[in-house]
Amino acid sequence: MESLKFSINSERLPKHIAIIMDGNGRWAKGQGQDRLFGHYHGVESVRLAVEASAELGIGYLTLYAFSTENWERPEREVNGLMELLVDTIRKEVPTLNKNNIRLHVIGNTEMLPEKTMTVLEEAISETAGNTGLNLIMALSYSSRWEMGEAARQLGLDVKAGKLDPETIDQYSFQKYLCTRNFPDPELMIRTSGEHRISNFLLYQLAYAELFFTPVLWPDFRKENLYEAILDFQTRERRFGKTSEQLG
Ligand code: IPE
Ligand code: IPE
Ligand code: MG
């Protein structure tokens, strides 16, 4: 069968795609395996989603890899995930550079183990000169953490006399979010059949088109991404206006 890729209108690509990569545990369980087995297999799906986005010319891809709530999982799983993360990032830096991909991280990274942080910082600085796809890993991220942190920083700036509280509006508030340098996602994909946001980019998803697929993350392939983009391209994005106004 011909790839769905050829049906995509390259003039109407989402500038920013965000993905909640869910279902690794269930995928593993379905095969009588340990949850970590699912996480290991999820890495290949990450690779393919990144490669497909870069090939299409998508500007920004945000991947929800670990939430602040995920710290509550069994220690073995958390440690396994952190090791997988370090390993994968270390191995993938040459490929990121080859494909002109710039790595960013959003989240409460202070909670990450030191080794993970070091490897991440190295990868971020080694890819900082790349000008193609911006790959944003949401690690130890949650939207409520981000907004609480934004409020704290904003308060500190008011206290220090750097910000006049009378001038605060949504635009100045946005500058305190960790996504301040990225446009809002236009397409949000969640795998594994769950229909929820799970504390992901609550502010930024205000007008995103949502796409839910039953596919479990380790089974996610390029065609699944193309399918989501094609679905996005059928949506009428009104931003509160009427159809007639869009012209
Ligand atoms: C997503 O898969 C990966 C992370 C949250 C780290 P899960 O581990 O949540 O897999 P399920 O949802 O239990 O199947
Ligand atoms: C959301 O998945 C977080 C990531 C994919 C990293 P979860 O599996 O943690 O979400 P819930 O608990 O099902 O809402
Ligand atoms: Mg899950």
Side-chain angles (χ1 to χ4, degrees):
M1 205 181 81
E2 192 177 76
S3 170
L4 293 172
K5 187 180 181 184
F6 301 108
S7 307
I8 293 175
N9 177 351
S10 57
E11 318 244 287
R12 288 193 52 210
L13 288 171
K15 280 191 212 52
H16 184 171
I17 300 176
I19 309 181
I20 302 179
M21 310 185 288
D22 198 15
N24 295 351
R26 277 164 282 169
W27 186 88
K29 214 174 146 193
Q31 309 187 28
Q33 299 276 358
D34 187 83
R35 294 179 57 83
L36 279 172
F37 182 75
H39 298 314
Y40 289 124
H41 281 270
V43 174
E44 180 61 12
S45 307
V46 171
R47 219 175 266 130
L48 293 170
V50 171
E51 193 178 86
S53 302
E55 284 165 356
L56 286 170
I58 303 290
Y60 300 83
L61 176 68
T62 298
L63 299 177
Y64 201 8
F66 196 83
S67 72
T68 54
E69 288 81 13
N70 290 149
W71 288 114
E72 306 291 325
R73 291 190 178 191
E75 198 178 325
R76 202 181 105 77
E77 182 171 348
V78 171
N79 292 342
L81 271 166
M82 288 302 140
E83 266 168 46
L84 180 64
L85 202 77
V86 169
D87 256 28
T88 309
I89 290 180
R90 200 183 274 138
K91 282 196 204 125
E92 291 297 317
V93 170
T95 314
L96 295 179
N97 280 329
K98 197 177 98 213
N99 295 321
N100 198 20
I101 299 168
R102 181 172 180 185
L103 181 72
H104 309 261
V105 173
I106 56 171
N108 187 2
T109 50
E110 281 173 12
M111 289 184 75
L112 294 169
E114 209 175 299
K115 195 172 100 192
T116 313
M117 256 332 278
T118 312
V119 170
L120 271 177
E121 276 164 6
E122 277 169 14
I124 291 169
S125 81
E126 283 168 30
T127 60
N130 296 337
T131 54
L133 175 70
N134 287 284
L135 172 61
I136 303 148
M137 297 298 292
L139 280 178
S140 186
Y141 172 87
S142 78
S143 214
R144 289 184 174 183
W145 164 80
E146 178 185 37
M147 288 198 249
E149 186 57 22
R152 192 176 68 85
Q153 293 290 346
L154 201 134
L156 287 171
D157 279 358
V158 168
K159 191 175 165 196
K162 289 192 226 160
L163 181 70
D164 175 0
E166 293 292 344
T167 66
I168 298 172
D169 59 12
Q170 57 177 309
Y171 306 103
S172 49
F173 177 74
Q174 193 270 344
K175 294 200 176 74
Y176 288 86
L177 296 174
C178 42
T179 53
R180 59 189 157 271
N181 296 322
F182 316 128
D184 286 342
E186 293 188 291
L187 169 61
M188 196 288 287
I189 301 169
R190 182 170 189 152
T191 59
S192 88
E194 305 295 356
H195 296 172
R196 57 175 171 268
I197 306 287
S198 301
N199 218 347
F200 186 45
L201 302 174
L202 300 178
Y203 185 91
Q204 298 86 342
L205 292 176
Y207 267 107
E209 297 298 330
L210 309 181
F211 182 86
F212 298 98
T213 169
V215 172
L216 300 173
W217 182 251
D219 288 329
F220 194 87
R221 291 295 173 263
K222 288 185 181 182
E223 290 301 315
N224 301 110
L225 183 74
Y226 302 149
E227 185 196 351
I229 295 173
L230 279 172
D231 190 76
F232 169 85
Q233 294 189 330
T234 66
R235 313 268 183 109
E236 184 181 62
R237 307 189 70 210
R238 291 189 288 278
F239 300 96
K241 295 184 178 159
T242 68
S243 250
E244 292 68 30
Q245 283 176 297
L246 298 175

